[in-house]
Amino acid sequence: MAATLCGKLLPKKGWVPLTQSIRHGSKAVTRHKKPMHFLKKKLMAVTEYSPPKPAAPRGAYAEETTVVKEQENPLIRLLKRDVEGVFRDCKMIAVAQNNGSTSDDMVMLKYRFHKHGIKVKFFPNQVMHSFLSESIYSNMAPLFIGPTVLFVSKEPKVKEMLSTLRVSPHMILLGGCIDNTLLSAQGLASYAKLPSVTEFQGQLVSGLSMMASQTVALLQRHPAHLTALLQQYVAQQAEAENAAT
């Protein structure tokens, strides 16, 4: 009996033991982290804080002593040469603002100015500022803002210019330079009211002649009075001698 029990309980050769699977009550974790949206990822990358790099100590790098000078445009150089010739040859340079005048208005304005010997010039403001910054006319730079026009002449003809601009409402006079003197629009109007050089010369000559005649009259007054007194004295003495005889 004991041998029978041992034979049943002991594993036989080639026998596989019985396996039993046991299920637990907890479930497996199947949820994973949701990936970040592409736009949010870009926003996070852009707004990520990046600390500033520490500045290099002074003298760590060799200082650059060579400065590369920007080359000037040949067209601007040519226009600057023309502007320099205008300021050198013309005694009257007036600046006006062009407020939407048409090509026909500009042709008519040029024709009216041509009758008085006044020319109309157009130069870009960049060229004018570049020229004025290096010349004695640097105070005229604030006048060149927006579309501007130059009225130039070899002789000051302010009165003729103002009379022509009265029929051109699109042109607003800003200021100008007369005989190397900067004038505002009001100053140009006051200059136009001054008499001409010929009138000044006539007034000067008449004033000098009047002063000379007054000086001569003052110098001749006392000798003439003395002569009259002497003649009266001689006449009285002659009358007295005639009465005595």
Side-chain angles (χ1 to χ4, degrees):
M1 185 175 181
T4 306
L5 291 174
C6 290
K8 292 182 178 181
L9 294 176
L10 292 175
K12 297 180 180 180
K13 190 178 181 179
W15 176 76
V16 179
L18 181 64
T19 58
Q20 185 179 2
S21 62
I22 302 174
R23 296 185 63 183
H24 299 279
S26 61
K27 297 181 179 181
V29 179
T30 58
R31 298 181 62 184
H32 300 282
K33 189 176 180 181
K34 188 178 180 179
M36 189 181 298
H37 194 269
F38 177 70
L39 295 178
K40 185 177 180 181
K41 188 183 295 185
K42 289 180 63 177
L43 180 62
M44 295 294 292
V46 172
T47 58
E48 185 181 1
Y49 172 73
S50 57
K53 296 181 180 180
R58 190 173 183 179
Y61 298 100
E63 297 182 359
E64 296 182 0
T65 56
T66 59
V67 179
V68 179
K69 187 176 180 181
E70 185 179 358
Q71 293 184 356
E72 194 175 22
N73 192 351
L75 178 60
I76 295 179
R77 193 183 305 116
L78 179 62
L79 292 175
K80 283 177 62 176
R81 193 180 306 167
D82 295 341
V83 174
E84 183 180 358
V86 168
F87 276 82
R88 182 182 61 251
D89 300 334
C90 299
K91 294 183 179 180
M92 185 191 76
I93 301 173
V95 185
Q97 187 175 14
N98 183 10
N99 291 332
S101 61
T102 61
S103 57
D104 296 336
D105 296 337
M106 191 60 62
V107 170
M108 185 59 65
L109 184 65
K110 289 182 179 180
Y111 172 73
R112 291 170 179 169
F113 275 137
H114 181 72
K115 293 191 297 184
H116 301 292
I118 302 175
K119 297 181 180 179
V120 181
K121 297 287 186 178
F122 296 92
F123 293 103
N125 291 340
Q126 179 185 359
V127 177
M128 295 303 302
H129 284 286
S130 178
F131 168 75
L132 294 174
S133 61
E134 303 173 355
S135 65
I136 60 175
Y137 309 99
S138 57
N139 292 332
M140 292 183 64
L143 299 178
F144 295 92
I145 299 176
T148 54
V149 185
L150 291 182
F151 306 135
V152 300
S153 63
K154 293 186 177 180
E155 296 296 333
K157 298 182 179 181
V158 183
K159 188 179 296 183
E160 293 82 355
M161 179 187 67
L162 293 178
S163 62
T164 305
L165 288 178
R166 289 192 187 99
V167 296
S168 299
H170 299 288
M171 294 293 173
I172 300 177
L173 189 63
L174 302 178
C177 180
I178 306 296
D179 289 332
N180 296 331
T181 303
L182 183 62
L183 297 175
S184 62
Q186 186 63 33
L188 291 174
S190 302
Y191 184 89
K193 297 178 182 178
L194 296 176
S196 61
V197 179
T198 306
E199 295 178 4
F200 265 123
Q201 291 176 352
Q203 293 177 3
L204 179 62
V205 171
S206 62
L208 293 176
S209 301
M210 184 181 296
M211 293 176 62
S213 61
Q214 290 178 356
T215 304
V216 172
L218 289 175
L219 293 175
Q220 293 179 353
R221 179 178 178 182
H222 296 288
H225 184 62
L226 180 60
T227 302
L229 291 176
L230 291 176
Q231 290 178 356
Q232 185 178 3
Y233 177 76
V234 171
Q236 291 175 356
Q237 291 295 328
E239 291 178 356
E241 291 178 358
N242 293 333
T245 56

